[in-house]
Amino acid sequence: MQAAVALAWWNPWRYVHLMTSTHDWHPSGALAGSVVMLGVAGSLGMRSRTVVRAAVSFAVVVLLAITVLGTLAEVAHNIGNLDRGEGPRVVGISPDGRYEIVVAYAGDLFDADTAVLRVRSRNGLLSRESTDLGCVRPADSDPAVVSVAFTGPQNVMISTGDGRAWQARFDPETLRPTATFGPPCR
């Protein structure tokens, strides 16, 4: 079970419904639960009180480590992605309806008005999300208003209300950006 939770946490396929940044589910809870189950199962099968105490103590230490690491990861995520209380917002859908462009306002504490754009497939539970397609930093003190238009099956035109415009492309199979735009996102 721990391997499955770790694989979901790692999420190399970038499935949207496994991403902890877009949903309330957090894999550290499942991992902690599996450690408790292993500790209980181990203590039930042992006869020596010393071995039972050692097994329970080990499970408690591992649980504390998971809790601390999970909390630190959540704090780092919340500081690194100040999204003003709203999740990613869809700003463009491909003409065939297979892909969408989502934007989230993110950045560090001093640059929370940066719009990060990503490509997302529209496959229900099997939806995936790309890495950063590009970032739009504000031209002035207000967040950039971003509009997106698909100019081809995997070509995207990004523009802002102040006249700035970029083009980007992505691979339709992997969703990886093949041509990004704007300054580096991180």
Side-chain angles (χ1 to χ4, degrees):
M1 178 162 183
Q2 285 96 350
V5 170
L7 190 61
W9 201 348
W10 177 39
N11 194 8
W13 308 279
R14 302 193 55 82
Y15 286 115
V16 174
H17 294 283
L18 290 180
M19 290 183 174
T20 59
S21 62
T22 56
H23 296 283
D24 294 334
W25 177 81
H26 202 286
S28 62
L31 193 58
S34 68
V35 169
V36 169
M37 289 188 315
L38 282 176
V40 169
S43 67
L44 291 176
M46 298 174 199
R47 296 181 192 261
S48 168
R49 286 187 179 264
T50 306
V51 174
V52 170
R53 285 183 187 141
V56 170
S57 298
F58 178 74
V60 168
V61 168
V62 171
L63 264 175
L64 287 173
I66 290 171
T67 303
V68 168
L69 291 175
T71 303
L72 289 175
E74 189 69 25
V75 167
H77 169 74
N78 289 340
I79 289 174
N81 294 311
L82 295 174
D83 63 355
R84 302 178 177 173
E86 61 184 49
R89 178 173 51 91
V90 176
V91 292
I93 298 175
S94 66
D96 61 3
R98 293 177 54 200
Y99 308 104
E100 61 189 16
I101 305 296
V102 294
V103 64
Y105 289 95
D108 58 24
L109 289 172
F110 306 105
D111 193 17
D113 293 333
T114 299
V116 178
L117 281 81
R118 293 183 173 164
V119 179
R120 215 182 249 181
S121 64
R122 300 182 66 181
N123 295 338
L125 286 176
L126 298 178
S127 294
R128 295 177 298 132
E129 185 173 288
S130 73
T131 56
D132 298 343
L133 187 60
C135 292
V136 178
R137 293 206 164 88
D140 50 22
S141 61
D142 295 327
V145 177
V146 178
S147 63
V148 174
F150 276 82
T151 58
Q154 62 260 9
N155 297 323
V156 181
M157 174 64 84
I158 298 95
S159 57
T160 60
D162 58 11
R164 297 179 290 161
W166 302 272
Q167 289 188 1
R169 284 188 312 279
F170 62 93
D171 179 6
E173 296 302 317
T174 64
L175 299 183
R176 286 192 178 118
T178 56
T180 59
F181 67 93
C185 294
R186 310 262 181 248

PDB file of all heavy atoms in Angstrom, residues 84-98:
ATOM      1  N   ARG A  84      -5.209  32.948  -4.027  1.00  0.00           N
ATOM      2  CA  ARG A  84      -6.339  33.809  -3.693  1.00  0.00           C
ATOM      3  C   ARG A  84      -7.615  33.039  -3.399  1.00  0.00           C
ATOM      4  O   ARG A  84      -8.703  33.513  -3.670  1.00  0.00           O
ATOM      5  CB  ARG A  84      -6.600  34.780  -4.840  1.00  0.00           C
ATOM      6  CG  ARG A  84      -5.431  35.624  -5.151  1.00  0.00           C
ATOM      7  CD  ARG A  84      -5.739  36.495  -6.286  1.00  0.00           C
ATOM      8  NE  ARG A  84      -4.592  37.345  -6.492  1.00  0.00           N
ATOM      9  CZ  ARG A  84      -4.472  38.140  -7.500  1.00  0.00           C
ATOM     10  NH1 ARG A  84      -5.405  38.188  -8.390  1.00  0.00           N
ATOM     11  NH2 ARG A  84      -3.421  38.882  -7.623  1.00  0.00           N
ATOM     12  N   GLY A  85      -7.480  31.828  -2.919  1.00  0.00           N
ATOM     13  CA  GLY A  85      -8.651  31.068  -2.518  1.00  0.00           C
ATOM     14  C   GLY A  85      -9.411  30.410  -3.650  1.00  0.00           C
ATOM     15  O   GLY A  85     -10.443  29.824  -3.437  1.00  0.00           O
ATOM     16  N   GLU A  86      -8.949  30.502  -4.854  1.00  0.00           N
ATOM     17  CA  GLU A  86      -9.644  29.847  -5.956  1.00  0.00           C
ATOM     18  C   GLU A  86      -8.692  28.891  -6.641  1.00  0.00           C
ATOM     19  O   GLU A  86      -7.497  29.094  -6.665  1.00  0.00           O
ATOM     20  CB  GLU A  86     -10.179  30.864  -6.953  1.00  0.00           C
ATOM     21  CG  GLU A  86      -9.091  31.710  -7.589  1.00  0.00           C
ATOM     22  CD  GLU A  86      -9.621  32.778  -8.506  1.00  0.00           C
ATOM     23  OE1 GLU A  86     -10.535  33.500  -8.098  1.00  0.00           O
ATOM     24  OE2 GLU A  86      -9.120  32.884  -9.640  1.00  0.00           O
ATOM     25  N   GLY A  87      -9.236  27.827  -7.183  1.00  0.00           N
ATOM     26  CA  GLY A  87      -8.407  26.852  -7.873  1.00  0.00           C
ATOM     27  C   GLY A  87      -8.098  27.300  -9.283  1.00  0.00           C
ATOM     28  O   GLY A  87      -8.457  28.402  -9.706  1.00  0.00           O
ATOM     29  N   PRO A  88      -7.427  26.454 -10.040  1.00  0.00           N
ATOM     30  CA  PRO A  88      -7.143  26.792 -11.428  1.00  0.00           C
ATOM     31  C   PRO A  88      -8.436  27.081 -12.190  1.00  0.00           C
ATOM     32  O   PRO A  88      -9.450  26.430 -11.979  1.00  0.00           O
ATOM     33  CB  PRO A  88      -6.451  25.540 -11.963  1.00  0.00           C
ATOM     34  CG  PRO A  88      -5.890  24.874 -10.759  1.00  0.00           C
ATOM     35  CD  PRO A  88      -6.843  25.176  -9.650  1.00  0.00           C
ATOM     36  N   ARG A  89      -8.368  28.052 -13.059  1.00  0.00           N
ATOM     37  CA  ARG A  89      -9.534  28.518 -13.805  1.00  0.00           C
ATOM     38  C   ARG A  89      -9.314  28.233 -15.285  1.00  0.00           C
ATOM     39  O   ARG A  89      -8.238  28.494 -15.817  1.00  0.00           O
ATOM     40  CB  ARG A  89      -9.671  30.016 -13.537  1.00  0.00           C
ATOM     41  CG  ARG A  89     -10.756  30.732 -14.225  1.00  0.00           C
ATOM     42  CD  ARG A  89     -10.842  32.173 -13.694  1.00  0.00           C
ATOM     43  NE  ARG A  89      -9.581  32.885 -13.709  1.00  0.00           N
ATOM     44  CZ  ARG A  89      -9.165  33.638 -14.735  1.00  0.00           C
ATOM     45  NH1 ARG A  89      -9.880  33.754 -15.817  1.00  0.00           N
ATOM     46  NH2 ARG A  89      -8.011  34.277 -14.660  1.00  0.00           N
ATOM     47  N   VAL A  90     -10.321  27.709 -15.960  1.00  0.00           N
ATOM     48  CA  VAL A  90     -10.234  27.411 -17.390  1.00  0.00           C
ATOM     49  C   VAL A  90     -10.370  28.718 -18.169  1.00  0.00           C
ATOM     50  O   VAL A  90     -11.328  29.474 -17.980  1.00  0.00           O
ATOM     51  CB  VAL A  90     -11.334  26.413 -17.812  1.00  0.00           C
ATOM     52  CG1 VAL A  90     -11.294  26.174 -19.313  1.00  0.00           C
ATOM     53  CG2 VAL A  90     -11.188  25.108 -17.066  1.00  0.00           C
ATOM     54  N   VAL A  91      -9.375  28.990 -19.058  1.00  0.00           N
ATOM     55  CA  VAL A  91      -9.419  30.218 -19.853  1.00  0.00           C
ATOM     56  C   VAL A  91      -9.526  29.938 -21.347  1.00  0.00           C
ATOM     57  O   VAL A  91      -9.687  30.869 -22.131  1.00  0.00           O
ATOM     58  CB  VAL A  91      -8.188  31.116 -19.579  1.00  0.00           C
ATOM     59  CG1 VAL A  91      -8.254  31.674 -18.169  1.00  0.00           C
ATOM     60  CG2 VAL A  91      -6.896  30.369 -19.800  1.00  0.00           C
ATOM     61  N   GLY A  92      -9.433  28.677 -21.756  1.00  0.00           N
ATOM     62  CA  GLY A  92      -9.560  28.347 -23.169  1.00  0.00           C
ATOM     63  C   GLY A  92      -9.766  26.852 -23.366  1.00  0.00           C
ATOM     64  O   GLY A  92      -9.192  26.045 -22.642  1.00  0.00           O
ATOM     65  N   ILE A  93     -10.607  26.508 -24.341  1.00  0.00           N
ATOM     66  CA  ILE A  93     -10.865  25.108 -24.678  1.00  0.00           C
ATOM     67  C   ILE A  93     -10.588  24.926 -26.161  1.00  0.00           C
ATOM     68  O   ILE A  93     -10.970  25.767 -26.985  1.00  0.00           O
ATOM     69  CB  ILE A  93     -12.324  24.725 -24.358  1.00  0.00           C
ATOM     70  CG1 ILE A  93     -12.570  24.889 -22.855  1.00  0.00           C
ATOM     71  CG2 ILE A  93     -12.629  23.298 -24.783  1.00  0.00           C
ATOM     72  CD1 ILE A  93     -13.997  24.650 -22.433  1.00  0.00           C
ATOM     73  N   SER A  94      -9.918  23.823 -26.507  1.00  0.00           N
ATOM     74  CA  SER A  94      -9.598  23.553 -27.914  1.00  0.00           C
ATOM     75  C   SER A  94     -10.882  23.352 -28.710  1.00  0.00           C
ATOM     76  O   SER A  94     -11.907  22.947 -28.163  1.00  0.00           O
ATOM     77  CB  SER A  94      -8.691  22.325 -28.030  1.00  0.00           C
ATOM     78  OG  SER A  94      -9.380  21.170 -27.619  1.00  0.00           O
ATOM     79  N   PRO A  95     -10.838  23.632 -30.020  1.00  0.00           N
ATOM     80  CA  PRO A  95     -12.040  23.480 -30.847  1.00  0.00           C
ATOM     81  C   PRO A  95     -12.619  22.063 -30.819  1.00  0.00           C
ATOM     82  O   PRO A  95     -13.836  21.895 -30.887  1.00  0.00           O
ATOM     83  CB  PRO A  95     -11.559  23.829 -32.257  1.00  0.00           C
ATOM     84  CG  PRO A  95     -10.355  24.678 -32.048  1.00  0.00           C
ATOM     85  CD  PRO A  95      -9.726  24.196 -30.775  1.00  0.00           C
ATOM     86  N   ASP A  96     -11.764  21.045 -30.694  1.00  0.00           N
ATOM     87  CA  ASP A  96     -12.277  19.674 -30.650  1.00  0.00           C
ATOM     88  C   ASP A  96     -12.682  19.240 -29.243  1.00  0.00           C
ATOM     89  O   ASP A  96     -13.190  18.134 -29.047  1.00  0.00           O
ATOM     90  CB  ASP A  96     -11.257  18.687 -31.227  1.00  0.00           C
ATOM     91  CG  ASP A  96      -9.943  18.663 -30.460  1.00  0.00           C
ATOM     92  OD1 ASP A  96      -9.829  19.369 -29.441  1.00  0.00           O
ATOM     93  OD2 ASP A  96      -9.034  17.934 -30.895  1.00  0.00           O
ATOM     94  N   GLY A  97     -12.463  20.092 -28.234  1.00  0.00           N
ATOM     95  CA  GLY A  97     -12.877  19.816 -26.873  1.00  0.00           C
ATOM     96  C   GLY A  97     -11.985  18.853 -26.112  1.00  0.00           C
ATOM     97  O   GLY A  97     -12.320  18.453 -24.997  1.00  0.00           O
ATOM     98  N   ARG A  98     -10.837  18.481 -26.661  1.00  0.00           N
ATOM     99  CA  ARG A  98      -9.957  17.512 -26.003  1.00  0.00           C
ATOM    100  C   ARG A  98      -9.040  18.153 -24.969  1.00  0.00           C
ATOM    101  O   ARG A  98      -8.583  17.474 -24.049  1.00  0.00           O
ATOM    102  CB  ARG A  98      -9.101  16.788 -27.043  1.00  0.00           C
ATOM    103  CG  ARG A  98      -9.914  15.883 -27.961  1.00  0.00           C
ATOM    104  CD  ARG A  98      -9.069  15.237 -29.034  1.00  0.00           C
ATOM    105  NE  ARG A  98      -7.945  14.529 -28.444  1.00  0.00           N
ATOM    106  CZ  ARG A  98      -6.851  14.210 -29.119  1.00  0.00           C
ATOM    107  NH1 ARG A  98      -6.715  14.530 -30.377  1.00  0.00           N
ATOM    108  NH2 ARG A  98      -5.868  13.558 -28.517  1.00  0.00           N
TER     109      ARG A  98
END
